[in-house]
Amino acid sequence: MEKTAAILRAEDREFLQVEPVTAPAPAEAKLRASIRCTMCGERFMESRGRVKGGKIVCIPCFERT
């Protein structure tokens, strides 16, 4: 509790160091197509689909029994 209080009272420069970033930027996210669940009709990202009874469904429908 004492350490927390000390941090909250401290000036930013006492515990933060701001400097230019030298790491390269991350690659852009891959865009995936949206498809419609054959059970509920909701659209979801293609790579998140599951096969249930020979049909492509969303995760919530896949987990339903």
Side-chain angles (χ1 to χ4, degrees):
M1 187 113 158
E2 218 174 284
K3 287 182 182 182
T4 303
I7 291 171
L8 291 173
R9 284 192 309 267
E11 293 292 322
D12 289 349
R13 67 179 177 271
E14 292 180 52
F15 62 92
L16 294 175
Q17 181 177 348
V18 178
E19 56 189 49
V21 176
T22 57
E28 289 188 23
K30 293 181 182 178
L31 298 178
R32 308 265 187 213
S34 291
I35 58 176
R36 195 168 298 279
C37 176
T38 57
M39 290 180 72
C40 70
E42 288 288 326
R43 295 177 64 82
F44 60 90
M45 186 171 53
E46 178 182 41
S47 61
R48 307 295 282 163
R50 303 291 185 266
V51 177
K52 183 176 188 176
K55 297 179 180 182
I56 299 175
V57 299
C58 63
I59 293 172
C61 286
F62 179 78
E63 293 175 345
R64 274 190 216 118
T65 54

